[in-house]
Structure formats: structure tokens, C-alpha cells
Amino acid sequence: MASLFPSPDCIGLAPGAVLLPGAALDDETGIVQALNEVLEQAPPRHMLTPGGLRMSVAVSNCGGLGWVSDRSGYRYERLDPDSGRPWPALPDSFARLARAAASRAGFEGFEPDACLVSVYAPGARLSLHQDKDERDVAGHPLVSLSLGLPAVFQLGGLARGDRTLKVPLSHGDALVWGGASRLRYHGVATVSDGEHRLLGRRRINLSFRRAG
Ligand code: MD3
Ligand code: FE
């Protein structure tokens, strides 16, 4: 049945920033199954910031390159430093979702080589930061997918002190960041406790990047 209150399937947040509500719901079971396999091969871990603080978000990766952080800094690596093995391959269901979302937002031909998997337990948060460790930030968008518990995303400007737009994100929502928005400051407010039918007491974010 059609809803009395149809919701848009594409919302522009800022130039180059597009929210695609529910973009992953069609293939939700395929994506969650592939995610569980990735996390089994490369378990999420709390990395240290260059300043020596333990991140409240636990991370893992899949794809040819994985984002890592330790006392010596942030960078992309081909091998999982915990296991010494390559990161798990990027699942087809992930690559399809990332390509489709980028193309709906106007970025054709996006082929991610890195997928950062961030696991938020209730109480975890991500403070305002920029993502600029990728080789060519101007040339490629970044696609992010929210799964599990909801969260409030904070979208800032190009300076740390700019005011932030609060964007509620739920399971299955995709965001595409390109062009003028690629270097905006952004963060995630403390995740509230809850139970998600597929993922339990967790919020999981997949962020697809062209890093190399
Ligand atoms: C906006 N993760 O892992 S992904 C991150 O929801 C990260 O877990 C958040 O920020 C999360 O670095 C947000 C969305 C995201 C990623 C990069 C961006 C938003 C962005 C770059 C520019 C602007
Ligand atoms: Fe980020």
C-alpha cells in the first residue's frame, strides 16, 4: 500500500552532500550477512589516536586498503596489523550499494578500494574531524552507509568552529559526500542504547573510499 505521507528518496543536505534514506533496505540481508563475515575475519578493535587515546568506536576494514591509526598517525595499509593478513575482500553486495548510491548522487564510475567498518556500542561517539588521508580527496566522493541503531550525524563546515547541522540517520540510510562537501568537518553524537532487530546493541557505519 502506498503511504499517505510519502518520504523523499533523495535529500540534498549541502552542495555535493546527498542523503539517500533507506538505500540499503532492498539488500539488507545480503549486506548484513557479508558484514558478519567481514567482522569474523577481521574483528573490530579500538585503535589508538596519534595522541595515545583509545577510540570509543571500534573499527575494521575490507577492500584492498584499510584505514589504521596508532601512535605514529593515520594511514591506509594493505595488511591488517592485528593478523598480518590482507583485509577481507570487498563483498559484492557492498560494492554494488556504494556504486549505486554514488551514481544516484551524480558521481558516475565510483570504484571504492577501501571500506572502513566502524562499530559503535551505546555510549560511543566520533568527535568532529575531516577525512583527508585519501590520496585524491577532490577526485572521488565518499559513500557512507548506516546500519543498526540510529544516530545523529553532525555536519559542519570547512572550519572546525562552523555551526553543525544535525542529521538523524537510521538503519539503511546512505550518504554521499563529494565535491565541495568532501572536506567538511563531521562527527557522530553519542549513540543511545537500544536493540536493533538485525544487529543488536550496535550502530555500524560502512564508509566507502577511494584511498589509493
Ligand atoms: C562528511 N564516520 O569514519 S561516515 C569516519 O557515521 C566517519 O561513522 C561517520 O566520519 C560515521 O570517518 C560518518 C560519513 C562521512 C564520512 C566522510 C565525510 C561523512 C563525511 C567527509 C566529508 C563530509
Ligand atoms: Fe569521517
Side-chain angles (χ1 to χ4, degrees), residues 116 126 129-131 142 153 184 186-187 207 209:
L116 172 61
L126 188 64
H129 67 279
Q130 290 175 298
D131 287 29
L142 185 156
F153 180 75
R184 282 176 184 264
H186 58 277
S207 68
R209 299 134 191 257

Side-chain angles (χ1 to χ4, degrees), residues 162-210:
D162 292 348
R163 63 176 298 280
T164 60
L165 179 70
K166 274 74 171 170
V167 184
L169 294 177
S170 16
H171 175 75
D173 292 351
L175 283 159
V176 182
W177 309 94
S181 282
R182 182 64 180 77
L183 287 174
R184 282 176 184 264
Y185 277 88
H186 58 277
V188 178
T190 305
V191 171
S192 300
D193 201 0
E195 174 82 23
H196 185 269
R197 70 191 149 78
L198 294 176
L199 291 167
R201 294 178 70 202
R202 292 182 294 175
R203 169 182 190 255
I204 298 188
N205 180 264
L206 306 181
S207 68
F208 299 96
R209 299 134 191 257
R210 182 89 204 172

